Amino acid sequence: MKEETYVCAICGREYLISQREEFDGQFLCPRCFAEETVTCHVCGERIWTDDNAGNSDTPLCERCYDRYYTNCVRCGELLHNDEAYYDRDDPDEEEPLCHACYTRTAGERAIQDYCYKPEPIFYGDGPRFFGVELEIDGAGEYGSNAKKLLRIANEEEERIYCKHDGSLEEGFEIVTHPMSLSYQLRQMPWEQICKEAVELGYTSHQAGTCGLHIHVSRLAFGETEVQQDAAIARVLYFFEKHWEELLKFSRRTPHQLEQWAARYGYKEQPMEILDHAKKGYHGGRYTCVNLTNRDTIEFRMFRGTLKYNTLIATLQLVDRICDVAIYLSDDELKALSWTTFVSGCQATELVRYLKERRLYVNEPVMAEVEV
């Protein structure tokens, strides 16, 4: 008995019924079925090839594309939503980018991604370099605002860059390249940057979300690891011994420090604290002095500020702590009282701030409001 035949709805050729494929109410030959239809990569539904919202490698029905996928606005590459990058210069315009296009356009952006870390540019004389991370919040994570601050700082040389920070609600982080203290004080236009940020509507101290973190190069503490460890151990000891005074200086609350800049715990000898820290106490960088970076140690205790004198005074305090850690012996540091320490502070901005916070040996002065 002769097998029945049918005519393919696409190519119009006659085929045996046993070779028939049925789709969307039509009979197709195996070849047309394979070429003209595909299976959605996500849900498995069969669709016409012309209705494929994905690509040849990842076919998608319209529903699954809308739910899980997008395309790079620059090169058109198909992206899963989890793989898409977004330009933070204008969060209101969410235009997805693939990793390659996002990386290529890094130099065009005013606000870089959190993981952005350019090759450092060193300013001033070393080996004691300071890198500042100042968080500002409250007026939006807008590239247009960041560009105004970048123009002030980078008019002559590339001194700063701006980064996204997930701990902020409506702001970003200002990061300097490594600079000597003299360069930070005299050539870095901090006063103009703080003023402009305030005029744009940002706060730092008042936001409650912001920190002021200061990195100091490890080479500042000695040429060898042994020398560095001895001095860094004394830094940790200083923080533990004078925790209450430094808490007052920082303008943080004890709860904020516990969350973002916890102490290691007092021990009788500086090296005992460093050994304790190296064992991974608190398991990461959220300590008052973060030791997890290869080339720097990070002072994380301080609350953010857009008050120029406070910013400069914080740099000067860190510099003074470095001095006593490097030049005093363990016994001399253990004998050092807070009163003796601050009596040796000569920098104008630091002395004023210490008086404002009632931390100086002289009479206090009236303090301006923090921003």
Side-chain angles (χ1 to χ4, degrees), residues 269-305:
Q269 299 299 327
M271 194 57 71
E272 290 179 358
I273 304 177
L274 180 62
D275 290 340
H276 185 52
K278 283 186 172 183
K279 291 176 182 177
Y281 177 73
H282 281 300
R285 63 191 182 90
Y286 296 109
T287 47
C288 55
V289 183
N290 168 29
L291 306 178
T292 63
N293 299 305
R294 184 186 67 180
D295 298 319
T296 68
I297 67 169
E298 179 189 14
F299 294 78
R300 292 181 51 87
M301 192 173 188
F302 311 108
R303 189 166 178 163
T305 184

Side-chain angles (χ1 to χ4, degrees), residues 24-252:
D24 200 19
Q26 302 182 51
F27 295 144
L28 308 179
C29 68
R31 181 176 180 179
C32 289
F33 182 78
E35 292 179 353
E36 301 299 330
T37 71
V38 291
T39 301
C40 176
H41 176 74
V42 177
C43 69
E45 179 185 354
R46 184 157 294 270
I47 57 175
W48 291 108
T49 301
D50 288 346
D51 294 332
N52 179 9
N55 58 28
S56 57
D57 294 325
T58 309
L60 298 167
C61 68
E62 195 69 39
R63 182 178 62 255
C64 289
Y65 172 83
D66 291 341
R67 185 176 297 178
Y68 302 113
Y69 284 81
T70 187
N71 289 89
C72 175
V73 295
R74 295 223 170 190
C75 71
E77 179 184 344
L78 180 70
L79 303 169
H80 192 280
N81 289 338
D82 293 341
E83 300 171 340
Y85 292 78
Y86 292 90
D87 190 341
R88 300 189 183 279
D89 279 8
D90 193 350
D92 293 334
E93 299 246 345
E94 292 200 353
E95 295 189 331
L97 296 167
C98 67
H99 182 265
C101 289
Y102 183 80
T103 302
R104 278 196 297 271
T105 59
E108 304 170 15
R109 291 193 299 275
I111 301 178
Q112 306 293 343
D113 197 62
Y114 180 75
C115 61
Y116 178 75
K117 193 171 183 180
E119 191 69 25
I121 304 170
F122 292 85
Y123 294 99
D125 298 325
R128 194 183 299 183
F129 292 99
F130 297 80
V132 173
E133 297 172 351
L134 173 60
E135 297 166 353
I136 61 176
D137 209 349
E141 191 179 2
Y142 296 117
S144 57
N145 288 346
K147 286 176 182 177
K148 293 177 182 178
L149 302 180
L150 289 166
R151 274 196 294 270
I152 293 172
N154 297 345
E155 183 178 5
E156 298 174 358
E157 299 176 283
E158 182 187 335
R159 299 184 177 107
I160 72 168
Y161 50 95
C162 299
K163 291 172 58 174
H164 166 75
D165 191 313
S167 68
L168 305 177
E169 297 171 358
E170 290 290 339
F172 51 88
E173 184 178 51
I174 302 167
V175 185
T176 75
H177 284 278
M179 302 172 180
S180 67
L181 181 65
S182 176
Y183 195 99
Q184 287 277 10
L185 302 187
R186 295 180 177 84
Q187 292 175 264
M188 177 64 193
W190 277 120
E191 190 166 14
Q192 299 95 304
I193 289 172
C194 290
K195 181 180 178 181
E196 180 67 20
V198 171
E199 290 179 355
L200 288 169
Y202 291 99
T203 58
S204 190
H205 173 93
Q206 293 178 7
T209 54
C210 300
L212 169 59
H213 305 157
I214 298 175
H215 288 258
V216 178
S217 47
R218 283 182 178 268
L219 285 174
F221 298 98
E223 295 182 359
T224 68
E225 186 175 351
V226 172
Q227 292 172 330
Q228 292 172 17
D229 278 357
I232 292 170
R234 288 191 284 272
V235 169
L236 301 186
Y237 184 89
F238 183 91
F239 269 75
E240 293 301 331
K241 180 179 180 181
H242 302 293
W243 183 261
E244 293 303 319
E245 291 86 356
L246 292 170
L247 172 62
K248 197 170 183 180
F249 188 102
S250 76
R251 293 164 289 112
R252 295 274 202 183

